[in-house]
Amino acid sequence: MITEKFKKVILDELNLDDFDIQDNTTADQVPGWDSLNHINVILALEKAFNVHFKGIEVLRCKNIGDLQNLVNTKLNQ
Amino acid sequence: MLFNIDFSKILQLFTYQEGDPLLFSTSFFIFFFFTLLLFYRIFAYKKNLRIFTLIIFSLFFYYKAVGGYFLILIIMTIVNYYSGQILGSLKEGISKRRFLFVLTIVANLGVLGYFKYTNFFIQIINNIGSGNIDALDIFLPIGISFYTFKGLSYIIDIYIGTFQPVKSFRDFSLYMFFFADLLIGPIDRASKLLPQIQREINVPRENIGRGTYLIMSGLFKKIVIADFIGLNFVDRVFGDPTRFTGVENLLASYAYTLQIYCDFSGYTDMAIGVALLLGFNIMDNFNAPFKATSIGDFWRRWHISLSSWLLDYLFAPLQMKLRNLRMYGNAIALFITFFAIGFWHGSNWTFILFGSLHGLYMVVSIFLKKPKTQLFKKLKLSDTKLLKFSQGVITFHLVVFAFIFFRAFSIESGWDVVSQIFAFFQAGVFMQFVNAYPMIIILMVIGYVLHFLPEAWEKWTENFVVKMPVVVQALLLTAIILLVVQFKFAGLQPNIYFQF
């Protein structure tokens, strides 16, 4: 499940008013989330949730749901 | 004697001949392919035999291209298969796993590096230390850059955890050996191709039509356009740019850009077509690259299988590592990635300059992005046709500029082309050129016009061919082959030296 806070961080970073983000949404489906901007989204998430991702953990994510799960695991640690 | 057959010639067809691989556009390939189709049909419902047929034909195909060096492909396949098995069984995070991963990457890159770059580095060492280490006599087995990357993507995916190692060595071998994409790609991914190997064969009617269409358009692009303008025009000008005026150098640069596109994408089209006829969907490699409106857009359309490979396995990890530098991190990661794209093409400074130029284009574009957007807004140009058109023209010329060095024998020779264009243009020679070489101009116009036609038109033509009865498709294919043969035997156009 994509949480409200998680979604808001992404939308704010990409300057989007609203966009429907589901677990199986992929980054390339979200306007503005390209391979260059990707890093800004990751940094924004790290800052907002005060977590630190390892490179391989982010590379493993196939969709936004995976990224949400990664944040959840980090928060539960 | 009734049958005057020279058996040694027939033997030659079946043994390795230096510099004579089984290209898709040769008549022996047609024989090879039909024999394969025959066995393939017989074994259609016997999976094991069907896959082994493909493996044996693929190995023969590769043996024809590189002789005994096909053993390296087999060795690297074994290495990657077992490494993948062990990586998959080891727990994530333990140092043994990391060590094996690094070792496998080093092994793959080491083999590639030895064959491709040894003499280049010897030369650099000689230049720096003014030493005289003798260059080694190293044969470069074609295809090695492509299958190394196929093996690497398999290993990296398993290490990251996005792909499970395949159990069957037979299936993995076919992934590595598959002749359709073995020599010059597309660089397929294990996650896309392996599931297709494992499932039952299915060649719908539509695939046959689409495959035939791609083989026809590929033959046309490769032989009629690329080979003809290459042999009759580009080779001559780039052979000695200073003997030609700026107009000719400029035309040759446009011609080469078209030639390399038609050559490479034509061969890829044939590879995709051949694979479709055997029931495999291999990835697209080109998508009308000269329609790009930025360099980033160009690389999403040009040699897609290589650029997406480097995006996933080089750029993305680098970008993550350098993320605290933000935009600068992106810039460094981009430049390294494009440098690698250039170097991947071969051990020559011209390729390195080609990659670095594209790296530079990309870096400049990310720093200009914000001010550009603001400027376009102010001028009310955002999303206008005029802006798109201008961006397209600028992107195309940046691409042509980089290709000049890609084609040139040396960086100096590339500079000769550029300086002739700017210092010795001689616009009047253009009409002389058109009169002397109408065929070159006609083919260039056809090539570029076909390229810039709306995508919907191409889809329509493709569907039109797909829906034709098989007999008509066969006739059309024959007609294209006859046309191709005409061009193949047209040989060199007379070499008229242009005096100003």
Side-chain angles (χ1 to χ4, degrees):
Chain A
M1 259 300 283
I2 305 294
T3 64
E4 273 311 306
K5 183 180 174 189
F6 183 89
K7 185 175 162 180
K8 192 174 178 315
V9 175
I10 294 175
L11 295 183
D12 286 352
E13 182 57 39
L14 298 172
N15 293 321
L16 294 172
D17 293 332
D18 195 22
F19 188 81
D20 183 31
I21 296 177
Q22 298 294 331
D23 279 341
N24 56 5
T25 309
T26 54
D28 58 348
Q29 294 169 339
V30 186
W33 193 338
D34 57 23
S35 48
L36 291 176
N37 235 339
H38 177 66
I39 212 63
N40 295 325
V41 178
I42 298 296
L43 282 164
L45 286 170
E46 282 187 324
K47 197 174 163 201
F49 290 96
N50 194 24
V51 290
H52 182 79
F53 303 134
K54 284 185 195 157
I56 190 170
E57 293 169 337
V58 178
L59 294 175
R60 191 180 295 144
C61 296
K62 285 183 176 162
N63 52 37
I64 301 179
D66 287 348
L67 198 58
Q68 168 84 63
N69 288 337
L70 178 62
V71 172
N72 295 347
T73 341
K74 293 271 165 187
L75 290 175
N76 290 332
Q77 272 171 7
Chain B
M1 232 163 63
L2 194 59
F3 297 106
N4 196 4
I5 299 173
D6 185 350
F7 283 100
S8 69
K9 282 238 166 89
I10 295 182
L11 193 67
Q12 272 178 17
L13 284 176
F14 289 93
T15 51
Y16 165 66
Q17 304 296 322
E18 203 179 330
D20 190 20
L22 242 185
L23 295 178
F24 296 159
S25 49
T26 55
S27 48
F28 188 59
F29 179 78
I30 299 177
F31 168 76
F32 166 88
F33 191 59
F34 278 105
T35 317
L36 169 63
L37 280 181
L38 183 72
F39 280 100
Y40 206 62
R41 183 71 195 83
I42 296 171
F43 300 141
Y45 302 105
K46 297 191 174 82
K47 193 173 171 186
N48 206 18
L49 285 173
R50 181 169 53 83
I51 293 181
F52 272 114
T53 306
L54 269 185
I55 288 179
I56 289 165
F57 272 79
S58 294
L59 280 177
F60 170 71
F61 180 85
Y62 196 51
Y63 159 75
K64 276 288 289 173
V66 298
Y69 286 94
F70 80 100
L71 286 172
I72 294 167
L73 170 62
I74 297 179
I75 293 167
M76 290 323 290
T77 303
I78 296 172
V79 167
N80 286 326
Y81 174 75
Y82 283 103
S83 170
Q85 292 290 312
I86 302 169
L87 281 174
S89 68
L90 290 174
K91 256 210 164 125
E92 195 191 304
I94 60 173
S95 55
K96 219 161 100 186
R97 188 171 189 266
R98 205 184 150 76
F99 178 72
L100 177 65
F101 172 68
V102 175
L103 195 69
T104 315
I105 301 289
V106 171
N108 276 283
L109 291 179
V111 170
L112 178 65
Y114 170 75
F115 284 102
K116 214 166 167 175
Y117 303 109
T118 305
N119 282 330
F120 183 65
F121 286 116
I122 288 181
Q123 198 194 344
I124 292 178
I125 293 169
N126 281 346
N127 286 346
I128 293 173
S130 58
N132 43 15
I133 310 169
D134 288 332
L136 302 175
D137 183 19
I138 299 172
F139 175 84
L140 176 64
I142 47 173
I144 193 168
S145 317
F146 294 90
Y147 70 69
T148 302
F149 272 37
K150 269 164 89 177
L152 282 175
S153 77
Y154 174 76
I155 291 297
I156 300 172
D157 281 352
I158 291 173
Y159 181 72
I160 293 175
T162 49
F163 191 70
Q164 293 302 313
V166 58
K167 286 204 181 75
S168 156
F169 179 65
R170 177 199 70 191
D171 296 353
F172 182 68
S173 306
L174 182 54
Y175 162 65
M176 290 290 285
F177 299 167
F178 189 38
F179 73 92
D181 61 12
L182 186 55
L183 294 189
I184 42 175
I187 307 164
D188 238 306
R189 303 282 177 91
S191 54
K192 293 276 177 327
L193 199 61
L194 273 164
Q196 298 186 49
I197 294 173
Q198 286 155 344
R199 69 168 190 220
E200 289 307 314
I201 184 186
N202 177 27
V203 189
R205 171 85 175 72
E206 198 200 320
N207 278 18
I208 298 176
R210 195 164 167 253
T212 315
Y213 172 79
L214 285 171
I215 292 172
M216 287 190 290
S217 73
L219 274 174
F220 181 78
K221 281 200 259 185
K222 169 89 179 78
I223 312 278
V224 178
I225 297 189
D227 287 358
F228 191 89
I229 57 177
L231 201 63
N232 287 302
F233 181 39
V234 177
D235 289 356
R236 290 177 187 172
V237 177
F238 276 86
D240 189 358
T242 51
R243 285 174 62 207
F244 295 86
T245 60
V247 169
E248 290 155 293
N249 274 287
L250 182 65
L251 281 173
S253 307
Y254 290 148
Y256 177 64
T257 305
L258 180 68
Q259 181 200 343
I260 189 170
Y261 166 71
C262 286
D263 189 281
F264 195 4
S265 81
Y267 199 84
T268 305
D269 283 355
M270 288 188 261
I272 298 172
V274 161
L276 275 173
L277 295 182
L278 295 167
F280 296 97
N281 272 301
I282 55 180
M283 74 183 289
D284 278 339
N285 223 7
F286 291 90
N287 176 20
F290 306 137
K291 285 183 186 170
T293 52
S294 70
I295 293 294
D297 188 17
F298 173 77
W299 283 101
R300 281 186 289 274
R301 296 161 171 271
W302 177 273
H303 204 176
I304 301 165
S305 66
L306 175 68
S307 57
S308 68
W309 196 103
L310 285 157
L311 180 72
D312 290 348
Y313 300 119
L314 182 62
F315 175 76
L318 273 175
Q319 184 193 37
M320 275 302 290
K321 269 260 177 306
L322 302 169
R323 66 183 180 279
N324 290 327
L325 302 172
R326 282 187 174 258
M327 220 157 72
Y328 296 96
N330 265 342
I332 296 169
L334 268 176
F335 192 82
I336 294 175
T337 305
F338 278 95
F339 185 88
I341 285 189
F343 199 45
W344 177 87
H345 284 92
S347 52
N348 196 327
W349 290 105
T350 52
F351 295 133
I352 292 179
L353 180 63
F354 167 80
S356 306
L357 274 173
H358 275 278
L360 193 69
Y361 295 160
M362 290 297 290
V363 170
V364 171
S365 81
I366 55 173
F367 286 107
L368 284 184
K369 198 178 169 193
K370 261 197 185 148
K372 252 172 37 189
T373 319
Q374 282 165 354
L375 180 73
F376 296 151
K377 248 189 198 155
K378 250 188 198 161
L379 298 171
K380 297 206 168 92
L381 276 171
S382 313
D383 294 322
T384 57
K385 276 195 176 154
L386 177 70
L387 181 68
K388 281 256 171 302
F389 177 76
S390 330
Q391 285 175 325
V393 172
I394 293 169
T395 305
F396 176 73
H397 283 87
L398 290 172
V399 167
V400 172
F401 182 72
F403 272 137
I404 290 177
F405 294 96
F406 191 88
R407 172 63 180 83
F409 291 110
S410 62
I411 293 178
E412 294 78 35
S413 165
W415 269 124
D416 285 342
V417 174
V418 178
S419 63
Q420 289 298 93
I421 293 174
F422 285 101
F424 189 57
F425 194 70
Q426 303 287 316
V429 173
F430 181 72
M431 283 322 288
Q432 282 179 20
F433 182 87
V434 175
N435 288 329
Y437 286 114
M439 201 58 195
I440 300 286
I441 295 288
I442 291 170
L443 286 176
M444 278 177 70
V445 171
I446 292 177
Y448 275 117
V449 167
L450 285 178
H451 180 90
F452 282 104
L453 287 180
E455 206 185 331
W457 291 23
E458 206 202 325
K459 274 270 154 282
W460 185 89
T461 321
E462 189 184 315
N463 285 334
F464 184 72
V465 176
V466 167
K467 284 186 188 132
M468 283 176 176
V470 180
V471 185
V472 184
Q473 282 173 355
L475 282 175
L476 196 60
L477 184 61
T478 315
I480 295 277
I481 290 176
L482 286 177
L483 177 73
V484 162
V485 170
Q486 291 296 315
F487 268 85
K488 249 190 157 170
F489 291 105
L492 278 171
Q493 294 273 297
N495 192 351
I496 305 166
Y497 175 58
F498 279 116
Q499 262 320 336
F500 333 109

